[in-house]
């Protein structure tokens, strides 16, 4: 009776494992797509200058400020003139903007590294890769958070005050307003934390379920070869038939014996 219960438990565990494996594959695919989307989000946040902006009454922009780039309205005409480069820290307006540029730039590099490690799915256990990428996504989110927190402390610079007014100060935006790139950066923080939690959860759940099924006595071949059929829990083995052709001497002996047997029967 105990053996029958154990066999039934193994079969139920194997069926559940197959169902779980399909669901986990779908979730992992969504996780990979969202990770690529998070990378695109990082790059947009890093290069776009619309972190804070000044819009006049006619809805004409007077200036934009990004991490390392600033676009100001020229004295003549209605065109914006941009300056600043991420590879030239001297062109960035103040130390706070430089620190934010560094942290969010590192956040982008960490996500690039995470996606580059996807090839490890063909080499290592999936749970190990999920754990590594989940930790990298968490680190990327922390760097993004630091960049967003430090950035407002640079609003007290004279260049920002020329656009946002004299009331602009650290964490006081003055006459400017938060741009869409800054809002996107805040969204990216929560996106990174969500992806990190999902990646680590996939790693832990895979390890736990595989260990539980192996504890019931199932092997990898049992799970891979298991067929969802009530009549059989394991695939049948195909045995290829073999044919041998007898030699001519043996054929002659058989024919002589057959003739003798017929004669003896006739004599009887």
């Amino acid at each position: 009776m105990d053996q029958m219960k154990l066999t039934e438990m193994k079969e139920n565990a194997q069926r559940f494992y197959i169902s779980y494996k399909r669901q986990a594959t779908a979730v992992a695919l969504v996780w990979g797509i969202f990770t690529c989307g998070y990378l695109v989000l990082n790059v947009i946040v890093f290069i776009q200058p619309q972190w804070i902006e000044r819009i006049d009454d006619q809805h004409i922009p007077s200036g934009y400020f990004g991490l390392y780039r600033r676009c100001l309205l020229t004295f003549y005409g209605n065109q914006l003139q941009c300056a600043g480069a991420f590879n030239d820290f001297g062109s960035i307006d103040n130390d706070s903007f430089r620190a934010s540029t560094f942290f969010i730039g590192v956040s982008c590099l960490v996500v690039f590294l995470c996606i580059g490690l996807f090839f490890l799915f063909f080499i290592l256990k999936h749970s190990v890769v999920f754990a590594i990428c989940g930790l990298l996504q968490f680190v990327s989110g922390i760097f993004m958070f630091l960049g967003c927190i430090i950035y407002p402390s640079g609003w007290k610079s004279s260049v920002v005050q020329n656009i946002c007014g004299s009331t602009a100060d650290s964490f006081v935006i003055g006459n400017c307003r938060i741009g869409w790139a800054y809002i996107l950066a805040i969204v990216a923080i929560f996106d990174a934390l969500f992806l990190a939690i999902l990646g680590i959860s996939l790693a832990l759940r895979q390890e736990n379920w595989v260990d539980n099924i192996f504890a019931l006595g199932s092997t990898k071949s049992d799970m891979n070869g298991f067929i969802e059929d009530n009549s059989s829990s394991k695939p049948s083995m195909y045995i290829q038939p073999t044919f041998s052709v007898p030699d001519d001497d043996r054929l002659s002996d058989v024919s002589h014996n057959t003739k003798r047997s017929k004669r003896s029967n006739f004599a009887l």
Side-chain angles (χ1 to χ4, degrees), residues 20 24 27-32 34-35 114 118 121 125-138 190-208:
Y20 165 75
V27 174
L29 182 61
V30 172
W31 172 84
F34 272 76
T35 300
C114 176
F118 280 3
F121 281 110
K125 293 173 62 177
H126 291 180
S127 58
V128 175
V129 183
F130 281 129
I132 294 173
C133 291
L135 291 175
L136 290 176
Q137 289 167 342
F138 180 76
F190 294 98
D191 190 14
L193 294 179
F194 169 75
L195 291 173
I197 293 172
L198 182 59
I200 294 174
S201 298
L202 285 171
L204 295 177
R205 290 190 65 183
Q206 279 200 352
E207 284 290 338
N208 291 336

Side-chain angles (χ1 to χ4, degrees), residues 40-55:
V40 174
L41 208 64
N42 267 261
V43 173
I44 292 175
V45 165
F46 184 72
I47 64 177
Q48 290 298 322
Q50 285 88 356
W51 277 61
I52 59 173
E53 57 187 5
R54 172 75 182 271
I55 307 294

Side-chain angles (χ1 to χ4, degrees), residues 256-268:
H256 287 305
N257 293 331
T258 305
K259 291 179 179 179
R260 290 176 183 176
S261 60
K262 289 182 178 179
R263 291 175 182 175
S264 60
N265 292 331
F266 180 77
L268 291 172

Side-chain angles (χ1 to χ4, degrees), residues 33-145:
I33 294 173
F34 272 76
T35 300
C36 296
Y38 174 63
L39 174 61
V40 174
L41 208 64
N42 267 261
V43 173
I44 292 175
V45 165
F46 184 72
I47 64 177
Q48 290 298 322
Q50 285 88 356
W51 277 61
I52 59 173
E53 57 187 5
R54 172 75 182 271
I55 307 294
D56 60 14
D57 296 334
Q58 278 116 18
H59 302 285
I60 299 175
S62 301
Y64 298 115
F65 289 93
L67 291 172
Y68 58 88
R69 195 179 180 193
R70 59 186 181 275
C71 298
L72 306 177
L73 189 66
T74 57
F75 186 75
Y76 300 100
N78 294 325
Q79 294 183 350
L80 292 173
Q81 184 177 4
C82 299
F86 68 90
N87 57 354
D88 183 11
F89 270 37
S91 63
I92 302 176
D93 183 51
N94 55 69
D95 292 336
S96 297
F97 286 5
R98 294 187 189 100
S100 296
T101 301
F102 171 78
F103 283 122
I104 295 181
V106 172
S107 176
C108 292
L109 293 177
V110 171
V111 183
F112 270 112
L113 177 62
C114 176
I115 293 178
L117 293 178
F118 280 3
F119 78 95
L120 293 178
F121 281 110
F122 301 100
I123 301 173
L124 302 176
K125 293 173 62 177
H126 291 180
S127 58
V128 175
V129 183
F130 281 129
I132 294 173
C133 291
L135 291 175
L136 290 176
Q137 289 167 342
F138 180 76
V139 171
S140 175
I142 293 297
F143 280 117
M144 181 68 71
F145 173 77

Side-chain angles (χ1 to χ4, degrees), residues 148-201:
C148 292
I149 288 296
I150 295 173
Y151 185 78
S153 64
W155 295 346
K156 63 182 179 181
S157 69
S158 59
V159 177
V160 176
Q161 288 179 347
N162 289 336
I163 300 298
C164 299
S166 59
T167 57
D169 201 351
S170 296
F171 299 93
V172 178
I173 201 169
N175 297 326
C176 291
R177 67 181 185 183
I178 299 295
W180 61 268
Y182 202 166
I183 297 174
L184 210 60
I186 296 173
V187 172
I189 296 173
F190 294 98
D191 190 14
L193 294 179
F194 169 75
L195 291 173
I197 293 172
L198 182 59
I200 294 174
S201 298

Side-chain angles (χ1 to χ4, degrees), residues 222-253:
D222 291 336
M223 289 187 293
N224 293 332
F226 179 72
I227 299 177
E228 291 181 303
D229 187 5
N230 294 328
S231 61
S232 176
S233 62
K234 290 186 179 180
S236 59
M237 181 182 296
Y238 174 73
I239 301 176
Q240 184 177 2
T242 58
F243 298 93
S244 61
V245 179
D247 299 335
D248 295 337
D249 296 335
R250 295 183 62 186
L251 285 172
S252 60
D253 293 339

